[in-house]
Amino acid sequence: MANHVSSLKRARQTERKTAVNRANKSRIRGSLRLLRDAIAKGDVTAVNEQFKQTVSALDKSVQKGVLHDNTASRYKSRLAARVKAVSVKKTA
């Protein structure tokens, strides 16, 4: 355990930041799970609505420093392709 006052403060800050980051990652994973479930069901309106929410959550996570920018871009790109496939399949 830390002995110096500054080390103790840093340990407290790390605990708080870890809890915030864990909550943000959990929210992202939940949003991704809901989107994947909607894609599996094939409901186009639900998929589009959930996609908007998921992209928003990913962008917020980048802004907060939880995810790297390229990681979020990769997620969004792959999810957009799956959303597009669902919408094309339903209209065809």
Side-chain angles (χ1 to χ4, degrees):
M1 186 62 195
N3 290 324
H4 295 285
V5 175
S6 61
S7 300
L8 292 169
K9 179 179 178 181
R10 178 56 64 189
R12 289 192 306 268
Q13 289 174 339
T14 301
E15 286 179 14
R16 283 195 299 269
K17 289 180 182 181
T18 300
V20 169
N21 288 339
R22 186 175 292 133
N24 286 330
K25 279 195 173 215
S26 178
R27 182 170 50 247
I28 294 166
R29 282 195 305 267
S31 183
L32 289 170
R33 187 180 330 105
L34 290 174
L35 179 58
R36 290 182 183 126
D37 289 344
I39 289 172
K41 291 178 184 174
D43 184 11
V44 177
T45 57
V47 168
N48 289 332
E49 184 62 31
Q50 188 60 42
F51 180 69
K52 289 179 190 176
Q53 293 176 2
T54 302
V55 167
S56 176
L58 288 170
D59 289 339
K60 286 178 185 175
S61 69
V62 169
Q63 187 178 23
K64 293 175 186 294
V66 176
L67 286 181
H68 191 272
D69 188 27
N70 291 346
T71 303
S73 294
R74 184 178 65 244
Y75 283 169
K76 289 189 287 188
S77 175
R78 291 178 182 175
L79 291 171
R82 292 176 69 181
V83 168
K84 183 178 178 183
V86 169
S87 63
V88 168
K89 186 168 57 171
K90 285 296 179 178
T91 57

